[in-house]
Amino acid sequence: MRRPAGTLLTLATPIRAWAQRFAFLLLVGAAFALMLLGKADTVFVERARTAITDTVTPVLDVVSRPIASVAEVLREGQELAALRAQNAALRQENARLQHWQTVARRLQAENTALSQLLNVAPEPSTSYATGRVVADTGGAFVRSVLINAGRTMGVQKGQAALAGDGLAGRVAEVGQHSARVLLLTDINSRIPVVIADSRYRGILAGDNTSRPQLRYLPEEARPKPGERIVTSGHGGVFPPGLPVGRVATAEEGNVRISPFADWNRMEFLRVADYRMPGILMTDGATAPKPPGTPRPGMDRLPELPSASGEGGALAERALEAEAPRE
């Protein structure tokens, strides 16, 4: 005889109330039982877990497909918006580059015509040798690196060492297959530079900090943060116009430069031979003594190139500051 539905509900009500009251204890007991079963029969638990995984995986795959499709559409929409913005920026940059290309061609034509008119001697060709930085010999008193390029690749003492963005230093010692590069931040480094905009000349002096100091500026010079610093070409060591860095701080009597070269990510250095021996001696060269009474530590340096005015004085100051330390 079939029982009425009300009777089943009456019987199920106490069971449901009991289950709700002791649900936490039942779950703890079930978890404890599963732990014991897993320790007692690991093979059975592993097979059961594998079977459940095989059963649930297709269901999860079907459920995840719409979510993955929606995520893919959203990602493609974001990429499309980014591509549109990048395309607009590239179009503007292309227009600027075309303008400067036109200006550069016009200036190049004018420069060629004026050079021919004035019969200017052409600049010597430049050769390069690239070496990997294999060791950092820096310490508390030295800022230099070793590269795996030496005389066999045409590297000579005094040549400029260029990083990706600007001047990193100069070659101080050369071997057959290696060379030591004295960085701009070394305390022995003295480089004649010029402020690109105002054309005031000075000496970039390293002091073993990440930001070398700009010294011997004229009194009327007022450098501002952000101004570019390039080599001046005085002293005959480096050609004019090599990028060095930007003015970081310009306090009274203390101008600091932030070099373009990134010392923390410097893996390769390009040694450039501008064929400008200048005031630096190369290996095996004999240096004539300066006229007059020699200064201490200067009898092994060649005679200063004939430079008049502020450039010659700056180069001579650089030699006086550098010679006693080397």
Side-chain angles (χ1 to χ4, degrees), residues 126-174:
T126 304
S127 59
Y128 299 95
T130 302
R132 179 188 293 272
V133 177
V134 295
D136 184 359
T137 58
F141 305 101
V142 180
R143 294 292 186 273
S144 62
V145 295
L146 294 178
I147 61 175
N148 60 351
R151 292 192 186 95
T152 56
M153 298 183 63
V155 178
Q156 297 179 4
K157 184 178 179 180
Q159 293 179 348
L162 307 175
D165 298 328
L167 183 66
R170 62 177 176 85
V171 178
E173 298 176 0
V174 184

Side-chain angles (χ1 to χ4, degrees), residues 7 9 58 96 99 186 233 243 248 265 269 274 283-284 295 301 305 321:
T7 305
L9 292 176
R96 289 195 301 268
H99 169 71
D186 190 274
R265 296 186 297 177
L269 285 179
Y274 295 103
D283 294 341
R295 298 186 296 274
L301 294 176

Side-chain angles (χ1 to χ4, degrees), residues 37-38 41-54:
L37 182 62
D41 193 352
T42 56
V43 177
F44 173 76
V45 173
E46 184 177 356
R47 290 178 179 177
R49 184 170 59 247
T50 303
I52 294 174
T53 303
D54 292 339

Side-chain angles (χ1 to χ4, degrees), residues 2-310:
R2 192 174 185 181
R3 294 184 179 181
T7 305
L8 295 177
L9 292 176
T10 303
L11 294 175
T13 300
I15 299 175
R16 183 173 57 186
W18 184 84
Q20 291 177 355
R21 180 176 299 178
F22 299 99
F24 180 74
L25 295 177
L26 291 176
L27 291 176
V28 172
F32 188 71
L34 289 176
M35 292 174 60
L36 291 179
L37 182 62
K39 294 295 183 180
D41 193 352
T42 56
V43 177
F44 173 76
V45 173
E46 184 177 356
R47 290 178 179 177
R49 184 170 59 247
T50 303
I52 294 174
T53 303
D54 292 339
T55 305
V56 175
T57 298
V59 178
L60 294 178
D61 185 27
V62 173
V63 174
S64 63
R65 285 181 182 178
I67 300 176
S69 301
V70 173
E72 183 68 21
V73 171
L74 294 177
R75 184 168 56 252
E76 290 181 356
Q78 294 176 355
E79 292 179 356
L80 181 60
L83 287 176
R84 288 180 177 178
Q86 185 178 4
N87 189 19
L90 290 176
R91 288 179 182 273
Q92 295 178 359
E93 184 177 359
N94 188 26
R96 289 195 301 268
L97 290 177
Q98 288 180 353
H99 169 71
W100 284 112
Q101 183 182 20
T102 304
V103 174
R105 288 179 177 177
R106 178 173 56 83
L107 292 177
Q108 183 180 10
E110 292 181 0
N111 188 21
T112 303
L114 293 175
S115 298
Q116 294 177 356
L117 181 64
L118 298 175
N119 196 20
V120 177
E123 296 183 357
S125 59
T126 304
S127 59
Y128 299 95
T130 302
R132 179 188 293 272
V133 177
V134 295
D136 184 359
T137 58
F141 305 101
V142 180
R143 294 292 186 273
S144 62
V145 295
L146 294 178
I147 61 175
N148 60 351
R151 292 192 186 95
T152 56
M153 298 183 63
V155 178
Q156 297 179 4
K157 184 178 179 180
Q159 293 179 348
L162 307 175
D165 298 328
L167 183 66
R170 62 177 176 85
V171 178
E173 298 176 0
V174 184
Q176 292 296 328
H177 305 284
S178 64
R180 184 172 69 90
V181 176
L182 192 71
L183 301 180
L184 300 178
T185 55
D186 190 274
I187 196 171
N188 295 313
S189 176
R190 300 292 187 273
I191 297 177
V193 295
V194 61
I195 301 176
D197 297 333
S198 60
R199 310 307 298 175
Y200 285 114
R201 300 184 182 93
I203 297 295
L204 185 65
D207 54 0
N208 287 349
T209 63
S210 59
R211 293 181 175 179
Q213 188 176 10
L214 185 58
R215 301 179 181 176
Y216 307 115
L217 284 174
E219 295 181 358
E220 63 272 14
R222 297 293 184 270
K224 300 178 181 179
E227 288 187 302
R228 295 181 73 252
I229 303 298
V230 298
T231 55
S232 64
H234 289 86
V237 183
F238 302 125
L242 291 181
V244 176
R246 294 186 182 274
V247 177
T249 58
E251 301 176 356
E252 187 66 25
N254 186 15
V255 180
R256 295 285 177 173
I257 305 301
S258 178
F260 288 133
D262 189 354
W263 316 118
N264 297 324
R265 296 186 297 177
M266 189 168 54
E267 298 181 5
F268 293 91
L269 285 179
R270 186 175 57 168
V271 180
D273 183 11
Y274 295 103
R275 292 171 176 82
M276 300 177 63
I279 59 177
L280 296 176
M281 289 182 57
T282 56
D283 294 341
T286 59
K289 294 184 179 180
T293 304
R295 298 186 296 274
M298 295 293 293
D299 53 344
R300 62 183 179 87
L301 294 176
E303 185 178 358
L304 283 172
S306 57
S308 59
E310 184 183 0

